[in-house]
Amino acid sequence: MSNSSYIVVFKDNATQEQIDTYAGRVGKEGGEVTNRYDSVFKGFAAKIPESLLQNLQGDDIIRYIEPDQVITIAPPESKVQ
């Protein structure tokens, strides 16, 4: 089973202990936390098994879960006349 990478963002009222519990659950279910976020928002990036992802989605303490991906911004094309 392949694990896809996601960013899990928690609501502002989530405690560090609760976030640690969720991060630990990822590891126990065969996933891997790859990065922790504590300053800009509460959450982590992780490779999450599909079965666990389905359980996490819609959980009251989680704000949202989105695929972890690289986004690049290209400068606008110049119009040569």
Side-chain angles (χ1 to χ4, degrees):
M1 174 190 321
S2 162
N3 296 338
S4 296
S5 295
Y6 295 92
I7 296 176
V8 180
V9 178
F10 290 84
K11 293 181 179 176
D12 291 338
N13 62 343
T15 66
Q16 191 59 51
E17 182 179 353
Q18 290 170 314
I19 295 169
D20 291 345
T21 298
Y22 279 80
R25 190 171 164 200
V26 168
K28 287 179 185 174
E29 297 284 334
E32 176 189 8
V33 174
T34 56
N35 210 340
R36 299 290 296 253
Y37 306 109
D38 299 318
S39 57
V40 176
F41 61 87
K42 295 180 177 185
F44 55 80
K47 294 178 181 176
I48 302 175
E50 186 66 31
S51 58
L52 178 58
L53 179 65
Q54 292 175 0
N55 288 334
L56 295 178
Q57 291 174 326
D59 197 311
D60 288 342
I61 199 166
I62 296 174
R63 179 171 284 155
Y64 60 88
I65 301 172
E66 67 179 39
D68 189 3
Q69 56 190 336
V70 175
I71 298 175
T72 59
I73 299 174
E77 292 184 28
S78 62
K79 295 184 180 183
V80 179
Q81 296 181 0

